[in-house]
């Protein structure tokens, strides 16, 4: 059995700035965000023939995904502190909400307008002759 003094650093030890469980949660959340973006983009392309503005939603989703990519890159590179993992999750949550609202907007079903038929109106005009010559 080897004895290690309190001032020595063990060379085989693992040292983390953040727990591996939190890192795993952030990575899983990023994968879920990526899947949601892919699903929303595919939905916009599928329904794009109905309305050309759905292609603008694709542009919006791609720009948001790039923002998420940059934030994750900063986090991974170390420009964003390791304690700021909540910021990565917040950006991902906003993008997931954007994807859900995009899917709802793309696949919304407008109730078919009920045809309004106007009943024919008949006007009865009666002509009366005033035999007395006065109008009052």
């Amino acid at each position: 059995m080897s004895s290690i003094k309190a001032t020595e650093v063990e060379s085989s030890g693992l040292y983390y700035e953040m727990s591996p469980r939190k890192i795993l949660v952030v990575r899983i959340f990023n994968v879920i965000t990526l899947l949601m973006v892919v699903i929303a983009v595919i939905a916009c392309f599928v329904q794009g023939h109905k309305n050309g503005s759905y292609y603008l939603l694709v542009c919006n989703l791609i720009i948001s995904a790039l923002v998420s990519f940059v934030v994750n890159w900063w986090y991974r590179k170390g420009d964003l502190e390791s304690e700021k993992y909540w910021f990565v999750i917040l950006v991902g949550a906003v993008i997931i909400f954007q994807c859900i609202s995009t899917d709802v907007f793309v696949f919304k079903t407008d109730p078919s307008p009920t045809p309004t038929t106007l009943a024919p109106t008949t006007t009865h005009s009666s002509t009366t002759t005033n035999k007395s010559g006065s109008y009052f």
Side-chain angles (χ1 to χ4, degrees), residues 16 18-35 72 75-76 85 88-89:
Y16 299 105
M18 194 168 82
S19 87
R21 181 167 285 158
K22 288 181 184 178
I23 293 172
L24 181 65
V25 167
V26 170
R27 288 183 181 170
I28 289 172
F29 200 79
N30 284 331
V31 168
I32 291 170
T33 303
L34 178 67
L35 288 174
N72 279 295
Y75 182 73
R76 183 94 169 155
Y85 68 92
V88 175
I89 292 176

Side-chain angles (χ1 to χ4, degrees), residues 87-126:
F87 185 70
V88 175
I89 292 176
L90 177 68
V91 170
V94 169
I95 293 173
I96 287 174
F97 178 73
Q98 179 184 0
C99 291
I100 291 171
S101 61
T102 298
D103 290 340
V104 168
F105 180 73
V106 168
F107 289 110
K108 72 177 177 6
T109 56
D110 290 332
S112 60
T114 57
T116 56
T117 56
L118 298 174
T121 57
T122 57
T123 56
H124 298 285
S125 62
S126 60

Side-chain angles (χ1 to χ4, degrees), residues 10-104:
E10 185 178 348
S11 62
S12 64
L14 295 175
Y15 302 99
Y16 299 105
E17 289 183 39
M18 194 168 82
S19 87
R21 181 167 285 158
K22 288 181 184 178
I23 293 172
L24 181 65
V25 167
V26 170
R27 288 183 181 170
I28 289 172
F29 200 79
N30 284 331
V31 168
I32 291 170
T33 303
L34 178 67
L35 288 174
M36 292 294 292
V37 169
V38 168
I39 289 169
V41 166
I42 290 171
C44 289
F45 277 129
V46 167
Q47 296 293 324
H49 69 281
K50 293 181 182 177
N51 189 347
S53 66
Y54 294 163
Y55 297 122
L56 292 175
L57 291 173
V58 171
C59 294
N60 189 10
L61 287 169
I62 290 173
I63 291 169
S64 297
L66 288 175
V67 168
S68 177
F69 176 74
V70 169
V71 168
N72 279 295
W73 182 54
W74 286 340
Y75 182 73
R76 183 94 169 155
K77 190 176 168 187
D79 292 340
L80 197 61
E81 296 176 7
S82 63
E83 297 87 29
K84 302 290 184 183
Y85 68 92
W86 60 268
F87 185 70
V88 175
I89 292 176
L90 177 68
V91 170
V94 169
I95 293 173
I96 287 174
F97 178 73
Q98 179 184 0
C99 291
I100 291 171
S101 61
T102 298
D103 290 340
V104 168

